[in-house]
Amino acid sequence: MAKSKLPDELMFLENRRAIQKTTTASMAGKVCVVSGSTSGVGLEAVRRLARGSANIVMVGRNPEKAEKIRKELVEQYHIPVAIVIADFSNLESVRKAADILLKDCPRIDVLINSVGLHSTTRTITKDGFESVFCVNHLGPFLLTSLLIERMRQSAPSRIIQVNSEGHRFGGLNVNDLNWEHRRYTGLQGYGASKTAQLLTVWEFADRLQGSGVTINAMHPGDVKTNIGNNNGPLYRWFLHHVTWHLLKDPVISGEALYYLAAAPEMAEVSSRFFHLTIDEKPAAPALNRETGRRVWDMSRQLTRLKSDP
Ligand SMILES: NC(=O)c1ccc[n+]([C@@H]2O[C@H](COP(=O)([O-])OP(=O)(O)OC[C@H]3O[C@@H](n4cnc5c(N)ncnc54)[C@H](OP(=O)(O)O)[C@@H]3O)[C@@H](O)[C@H]2O)c1
């Protein structure tokens, strides 16, 4: 194949058109915990995992929505599906969910964090965090940290953080994680949260070396989901009348997540960023390990983690 002429920063343009990898490997008997599984990318991931015969644990904030999906999966695939309730804008709620997961799941083979939020306005959680930063980064960081020992005990096991090409929007200012001293914009806030998450993926991976637990991040494609529907009428009009036509079916996201979770050739691959299933170099701010160590320490402090995961 001819070598691409595009610079690393633009490779996502090529990767979004590339033929993606798939696997027919079975996930029978594997316990897969998926946050954000009541909609969009996470929903397609649990559907695909169920088709691969996995045991599913859905982590979501809306019990009615989750119950409807649980029924659909059980009726169609005859696999065990459990629901654990967690609001990722409330770290106490994430802690409670982790306690339940540790009590109810003697093993966890796969953890996928697909929970996510995009907001054009700056809002603050009850704990005082900028909401997008909390839902996209602090909440999944806390859940991953609290489950990591169980993942070690369950090795070989895999963690996948659903990240975004949006991490390329503007980097991260570690001196103003809460956007108190700058004008907040939706794209930059979203990009900062995803940059923070990527930086901690490399930190997790270092700590997991030799444990049999892998951790990777991925961009789930540009797909038709509910993300952004919490924003104002103008944003929603633009999303559904303009952007919508450029977006794909989120089935591709579920298929890519299944590949990353199940493919035998992914068993030892860790600390990478994938555009769907294609290994891709993230933007420079997401590769700055010095910033990464600061973000790691700050994330630990903000989530009140007692010990280093
Ligand atoms: N769609 C894309 O093209 C795209 C592109 C790049 C990256 N992503 C990433 O993909 C992931 C999934 O997003 P999506 O596109 O599938 O959007 P989505 O359809 O809105 O799904 C988001 C999921 O996160 C859950 N969620 C949101 N806030 C929550 C909270 N406070 N507590 C608990 N759960 C919460 C939602 O729950 P409810 O069902 O209760 O609302 C839903 O299950 C996100 O990380 C997003 O950044 C998506």
Side-chain angles (χ1 to χ4, degrees), residues 36 38-39 41 61 65 87-88 114 190 194 223 225-227:
T38 44
S39 176
V41 171
R61 63 178 164 180
K65 241 173 140 177
D87 178 351
F88 279 66
S114 188
Y190 183 76
K194 296 293 184 180
V223 288
T225 66
N226 280 317
I227 198 144

Side-chain angles (χ1 to χ4, degrees), residues 49-75:
L49 286 162
R51 181 149 68 84
S53 304
N55 297 5
I56 311 274
V57 185
M58 302 176 63
V59 182
R61 63 178 164 180
N62 184 326
E64 290 82 30
K65 241 173 140 177
E67 179 54 26
K68 223 172 133 202
I69 297 161
R70 191 190 71 76
K71 274 200 182 123
E72 170 200 315
L73 299 178
V74 172
E75 274 165 24

Side-chain angles (χ1 to χ4, degrees), residues 35-44 59-63 65-66 69 85-90 93-94 113-118 131 134-136 140 161-166 190 193-194 197 218-230 247-248 250 253 257:
S35 73
S37 48
T38 44
S39 176
V41 171
L43 171 56
E44 292 306 328
V59 182
R61 63 178 164 180
N62 184 326
K65 241 173 140 177
I69 297 161
I85 298 305
D87 178 351
F88 279 66
S89 66
N90 175 346
S93 168
V94 175
N113 279 305
S114 188
V115 53
L117 173 68
H118 177 252
S131 301
C134 185
V135 172
N136 292 1
Q161 308 291 41
V162 178
N163 195 267
S164 175
E165 291 294 351
Y190 183 76
S193 70
K194 296 293 184 180
Q197 182 178 60
M218 64 94 76
H219 169 77
D222 307 312
V223 288
K224 296 177 170 125
T225 66
N226 280 317
I227 198 144
N229 275 335
N230 48 298
L247 302 177
K248 296 183 182 159
S253 321
L257 279 163

Side-chain angles (χ1 to χ4, degrees), residues 246-258:
L246 306 170
L247 302 177
K248 296 183 182 159
D249 190 319
V251 164
I252 64 166
S253 321
E255 198 61 56
L257 279 163
Y258 191 77

